[in-house]
Amino acid sequence: MSDDTQAHGPDGDGDGRDTSPGHVVDHDPTGMTDDEKRHDQLTRAPKSDESDAAPRITTEDRGDGVTRIDVADTAKVRPGKAD
């Protein structure tokens, strides 16, 4: 049985995930938060260091649904020419 709250796989069968609004799906066996996963992934390479996991953007909520996104001053990699 399938309804609008069931996600469908490539074969068209429901995979049992509840995708209804407000439903939180927790299938993460690591127990890590998204920020912890990001840090782990960005510092896992042999020559990486803590600065690789530093935030690369800043966001500012200006109200009325407007969010300003800027490259963080502390970003290790920045757009544009290298100095």
Side-chain angles (χ1 to χ4, degrees):
M1 178 177 177
S2 179
D3 62 28
D4 291 341
T5 63
Q6 294 293 314
H8 296 280
D11 60 356
D13 293 334
D15 63 3
R17 293 182 298 137
D18 184 351
T19 58
S20 60
H23 182 79
V24 177
V25 179
D26 185 13
H27 297 288
D28 182 12
T30 67
M32 297 168 65
T33 66
D34 287 343
D35 287 337
E36 290 169 332
K37 288 181 206 174
R38 178 184 180 278
H39 181 273
D40 185 57
Q41 183 177 19
L42 293 171
T43 56
R44 184 173 289 188
K47 294 183 180 180
S48 66
D49 58 37
E50 285 296 315
S51 65
D52 292 320
R56 294 186 174 117
I57 62 167
T58 59
T59 59
E60 176 188 353
D61 182 5
R62 294 190 167 186
D64 296 332
V66 176
T67 301
R68 180 179 172 102
I69 302 172
D70 289 306
V71 176
D73 293 335
T74 58
K76 187 172 185 176
V77 178
R78 300 182 58 83
K81 291 185 177 181
D83 293 330

